[in-house]
Amino acid sequence: MDAGKEISRSDERRYESYLGAELEAAAVYSALAETEADPRRSRIFEELVEAELRHAARWAGKLGRPTDALAPPALGLKGRLLKAAAGLFGTNRVLPFLLRGEDENIEMYAADPEAADLVPEERAHARVLGEMSGAGGLGESHSRGVATAGGSLRAAVLGANDGLVSNFSLVMGVAGGTGNPDFVLLAGVAGLLAGAFSMAAGEYVSVRSQRDLYENELRKERIELAEWPEEERAELELIYQAKGLSEEEARNVASRLMADPKVALDTMAREELGLDPSQLGSPVAAAASSFAAFVVGAVIPILPYVFRAEDLAFSLSAGLSALALALAGGVLALLTGVNAAWGAARMLLAGGAAAAVTYAIGRLIGVSVGSLG
């Protein structure tokens, strides 16, 4: 702690919280620096690690701990998930989650006079991440970055959840109406295939339509650059002046960028439209990811029937599905900054309720049909 100064228990807990958050962020940025293949981007992550460790040193000092040997700790579960996602889909796909974390730090420090001087640097971190992800920084652009980031990753997460919940409900409904495991398996396989193809087709059309829209915007921007280059250069000057450059600096930068038509189009797409021409999203990749993820989720409820668990099939199906629901809810909660236990419970309650309702309906229909016989 600061020399000769006692701290209260509440201050100690606050400093511990700040220290933990800074060290966790340093660990994640360090992992992304190792994962990132682009040396320039990797160096940016390394600089963010150094900044987070500087912040951590302040809180370690407040707690009376050594500050000269701080290093990123081992990754926690959330960090390992982010690193795995970055390795599979690229660091761009996880930057929106990091932006959310930086926003939380900004809000946390802004409310504490003792930490308010760190807010400008945290805002700078958010702007850096925003520029790296193409979200353009804070506010509306950041929200759009979180909402639209990761076509394939988003499709995978949604597909797995939809597959699990829908096929779990279907299997429970059919099982409630008949004791024949072959009927249940047939319905489960049919539900898996129908749902997977439906999800893939819907994702393909969605991403294809979005890509068509973006490509049309780029086409119009290309025409404007060819027909009205001076107007576009003036617009680019204004954008850079808004970013803090002087009028002369903005003019020089804009002139250099406009000298190369390809660079000019790429710059205007990013600065004016908020688009990364190299990251428009692949409809085929999104559809394939959605199909595969739906199958992964939908196969879980029917596994006991596939392996002929006989009398145990129903109970095993319900148990495996409940476990998968809780796991999926916990993982999603960790990635979005929500308490993992609450996320797991919420997903389990929602999926369990849907399965219980369909089971009750299936049971009712089965009894009714049986009485007619």
Side-chain angles (χ1 to χ4, degrees), residues 83-137:
K83 183 179 181 180
L88 288 172
F89 303 105
T91 56
N92 256 19
R93 303 307 191 195
V94 303
L95 290 182
F97 299 112
L98 303 183
L99 272 166
R100 187 189 300 274
E102 291 293 346
D103 280 356
E104 290 173 353
N105 282 352
I106 291 169
E107 293 175 5
M108 177 175 65
Y109 286 158
D112 184 349
E114 197 172 355
D117 61 305
L118 295 178
V119 169
E121 191 168 359
E122 293 292 348
R123 287 188 180 277
H125 295 174
R127 282 194 293 272
V128 168
L129 293 174
E131 292 296 333
M132 290 176 72
S133 69

Side-chain angles (χ1 to χ4, degrees), residues 93-258:
R93 303 307 191 195
V94 303
L95 290 182
F97 299 112
L98 303 183
L99 272 166
R100 187 189 300 274
E102 291 293 346
D103 280 356
E104 290 173 353
N105 282 352
I106 291 169
E107 293 175 5
M108 177 175 65
Y109 286 158
D112 184 349
E114 197 172 355
D117 61 305
L118 295 178
V119 169
E121 191 168 359
E122 293 292 348
R123 287 188 180 277
H125 295 174
R127 282 194 293 272
V128 168
L129 293 174
E131 292 296 333
M132 290 176 72
S133 69
L138 301 171
E140 180 182 350
S141 296
H142 170 200
S143 299
R144 182 171 63 250
V146 173
T148 61
S152 297
L153 180 57
R154 176 176 60 85
V157 173
L158 292 177
N161 279 283
D162 284 351
L164 177 59
V165 174
S166 64
N167 225 32
F168 181 32
S169 299
L170 175 62
V171 166
M172 291 297 103
V174 176
T178 177
N180 190 327
D182 291 332
F183 288 170
V184 178
L185 177 59
L186 177 61
V189 171
L192 181 153
L193 293 174
F197 280 111
S198 176
M199 284 287 294
E203 193 67 22
Y204 179 89
V205 171
S206 174
V207 176
R208 180 69 265 177
S209 298
Q210 177 178 271
R211 187 181 178 98
D212 288 343
L213 174 63
Y214 291 163
E215 288 175 344
N216 185 53
E217 292 294 327
L218 290 172
R219 181 185 62 80
K220 290 191 291 186
E221 192 63 44
R222 188 179 294 108
I223 292 173
E224 290 174 2
L225 284 167
E227 297 291 334
W228 304 286
E230 288 304 311
E231 288 81 352
E232 292 297 294
R233 183 185 58 77
E235 187 174 346
L236 196 56
E237 285 182 28
L238 289 177
I239 290 173
Y240 284 120
Q241 288 180 47
K243 288 177 175 289
L245 273 65
S246 69
E247 185 175 345
E248 182 179 355
E249 290 170 335
R251 185 183 304 114
N252 291 336
V253 171
S255 297
R256 287 198 296 270
L257 292 172
M258 294 294 290

